[in-house]
Structure formats: structure tokens, C-alpha cells
Amino acid sequence: MKRTKTILCYGDSNTHGYNPQGGGRFPREVRWTGCLQKLLGDLYEVVEEGCNGRTTMYGEADDWINGMLYLRPCLYSHRTVDYMILMLGTNDLKNKYLASAEKIGEGVEALVKESISFLKEHQSFSPKIILIAPPVLGEDMPNSCFADEFDAESVAKSYRLAEIYEQIAKKYQCAFLNAAMFAPVSSADSLHLSAESHAAFASSVYECIINLEKII
């Protein structure tokens, strides 16, 4: 009997499914993770690990939003992990972290390195990682309900992440996707994916996985 492959989706509110129209959470069938599960079928298990506010490496008093601190227990509990979809960095753009695009890249690179080495040790092989540059912030952010957390500089830095992430993906032989190319954020808050973008995002991730399966 063929083993079901596990796809771990490690991200922030855009993986959790935050609804830009007034908050709350999109239902499973709307979230990109649910859409991806439907596209892939029963031979794959899509595991949602999206947390509102999650960063690559910042946490302050709320350590649960620190992506690095939660990474090991997350990876260990979901073994065996065949694919890891990593999309973080948006919350690192918040004013309070004062993080440059390069510094955000360092956080993402640390997550990639840790995922590869930790799972190689604990499940005998490393997962295939799909590193995704998050959607760029909307230009109307100054009028967003999140304007007190993100400013014009945050928007400008968001445009630089794709190039940095792509170089990291090449360095560690990860697959790479740029979410900004197919999943724009909603005009409602300039930060989160609309239902339409969730569907488009899922389709692009699906195509990436299918192409990777052909070369495995």
C-alpha cells in the first residue's frame, strides 16, 4: 500500500486563513491549504501550521509567534514530513522589529537550515522544501487597519524579499515560488489574501508539487 505523503505548511496568518474582510478565518475549503488538499487527493496529507503574527525569529513576550522557537516541536510532531512549504517574513516587516530585507532573509535561511538538518536526524531524510516569498504589501497600506504596524518602508522592503528568498532557495536546493506573481493581497487591508488569491495560490503550489514529483 502506498504511503500517504505529508505536506507541512509552515506560515503566518495567510496560511492560517485570516479573512481581510473584517477578520475571522476563512473556512477550510476556501483556505489555500484546503484547496491544495482537494487538488492533490488522498495520497497526500496537507498539514496546516499557520499562526497569526508568526515571524521568522522574533517573539518578544509572545514566544509562540517566533517561528524558530516553534519549528523543532512542529517538525517532530508531524514526522514523517515529505514536503515543507515555508512562507514567512511578512510579520518581520512590522515597524517594531526594525528588520532589513536582508535580516529577514537571514531568519528564513535559518529556518531552512534547521528544517533540513533536524529532520535528516530524526526521520533519516530531509524534506523537499518549497520556499515561498510572501505576497508584497499593498500600496494602500497607509489607509489599512494595519497602518499602525506597517509603513511605506515596510511596503518597499516587501518587494525585495523575492530576490533574497530565491537566492536562499538556490543555495539549499529548494523549490521557489514568488507569491506576488499569482496571489496579490486584498485591497480590503493590503495585507491578507482574498478568497480568490487563496485559490490561485493553491493552484500554483499544486503545480510545483506535481512537477517535483516527476523528478523524484
Side-chain angles (χ1 to χ4, degrees):
M1 187 175 179
K2 203 169 184 179
R3 180 176 67 84
T4 300
K5 291 187 177 182
T6 297
I7 302 172
L8 177 62
C9 305
Y10 198 65
D12 52 31
S13 54
N14 274 323
T15 296
H16 182 76
Y18 185 97
N19 187 340
Q21 296 285 351
R25 190 185 192 189
F26 282 124
R28 168 76 174 176
E29 64 270 17
V30 175
R31 301 194 295 267
W32 71 263
T33 45
C35 295
L36 180 62
Q37 181 69 76
K38 185 176 180 180
L39 289 168
L40 287 169
D42 294 338
L43 291 180
Y44 298 83
E45 180 185 6
V46 178
V47 178
E48 294 180 318
E49 277 289 353
C51 176
N52 293 346
R54 178 174 286 151
T55 67
T56 63
M57 57 183 176
Y58 301 104
E60 300 175 343
D62 296 325
D63 287 340
W64 50 270
I65 69 170
N66 186 315
M68 180 56 75
L69 290 182
Y70 182 63
L71 183 64
R72 284 190 172 198
C74 179
L75 293 173
Y76 196 77
S77 65
H78 290 300
R79 295 170 302 152
T80 301
V81 178
D82 299 280
Y83 285 90
M84 181 177 181
I85 300 174
L86 176 60
M87 186 172 72
L88 284 173
T90 296
N91 289 300
D92 298 47
L93 295 166
K94 289 179 178 178
N95 305 328
K96 63 181 179 180
Y97 296 128
L98 300 174
S100 66
E102 289 78 13
K103 192 67 176 178
I104 296 171
E106 290 176 13
V108 169
E109 182 173 1
L111 291 170
V112 170
K113 287 174 64 177
E114 184 65 18
S115 299
I116 292 171
S117 61
F118 184 77
L119 284 181
K120 187 173 183 179
E121 177 184 357
H122 291 282
Q123 65 178 32
S124 77
F125 70 93
S126 299
K128 185 63 180 176
I129 296 175
I130 302 175
L131 180 59
I132 302 178
V136 297
L137 302 182
E139 297 295 337
D140 197 41
M141 179 57 75
N143 297 313
S144 168
C145 56
F146 294 99
D148 59 333
E149 297 183 273
F150 301 89
D151 58 16
E153 187 178 355
S154 302
V155 176
K157 285 188 290 188
S158 75
Y159 279 86
R160 299 191 55 217
L161 296 183
E163 181 181 0
I164 294 171
Y165 283 35
E166 187 171 15
Q167 292 304 311
I168 296 169
K170 289 179 180 177
K171 182 176 180 180
Y172 294 94
Q173 299 181 313
C174 305
F176 171 75
L177 290 174
N178 180 6
M181 301 298 293
F182 46 82
V185 296
S186 170
S187 60
D189 69 2
S190 296
L191 184 62
H192 295 102
L193 300 179
S194 65
E196 293 76 15
S197 284
H198 272 273
F201 186 76
S203 294
S204 294
V205 175
Y206 169 76
E207 291 296 333
C208 181
I209 293 172
I210 293 305
N211 287 332
L212 289 171
E213 289 284 86
K214 292 176 182 177
I215 46 182
I216 292 177

